[in-house]
């Protein structure tokens, strides 16, 4: 596996860019499957303008919105 041990831990997911949200969604599923709790996800650039993914808040430095 390419993840740290998260069994029973509170976690924050950090990523550089959200394009589709699939990476964060997969990580949320991985943590929950191991009885961990995801508190939030933090990214530098959010290309989707998301507020949350699967009930987990998304915090971003920049949100890209189309005009």
């Amino acid at each position: 596996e390419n993840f740290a041990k998260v069994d029973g831990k509170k976690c924050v997911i950090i990523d550089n860019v959200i394009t589709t949200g699939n990476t964060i969604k997969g990580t949320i599923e991985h943590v929950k499957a191991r009885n961990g709790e995801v508190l939030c996800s933090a990214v530098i650039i959010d290309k989707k303008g998301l507020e949350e993914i699967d009930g987990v808040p998304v915090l971003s430095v920049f949100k890209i919105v189309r005009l």
Side-chain angles (χ1 to χ4, degrees):
E1 291 185 356
N2 194 21
F3 294 102
K5 296 192 183 298
V6 296
D7 304 55
K9 294 183 181 178
K10 294 182 179 181
C11 304
V12 174
I13 300 169
I14 308 293
D15 202 357
N16 57 348
V17 178
I18 292 177
T19 301
T20 64
N22 289 335
T23 300
I24 292 178
K25 185 173 183 162
T27 305
I28 292 167
E29 291 170 0
H30 178 87
V31 171
K32 287 183 176 180
R34 284 154 183 79
N35 297 316
E37 178 185 358
V38 180
L39 302 177
C40 69
S41 60
V43 298
I44 298 170
I45 300 170
D46 179 359
K47 291 182 175 182
K48 297 285 277 186
L50 299 173
E51 296 294 324
E52 66 177 41
I53 298 174
D54 286 350
V56 174
V58 174
L59 309 172
S60 60
V61 177
F62 300 103
K63 287 188 189 285
I64 306 300
V65 293
R66 294 184 183 210
L67 301 175

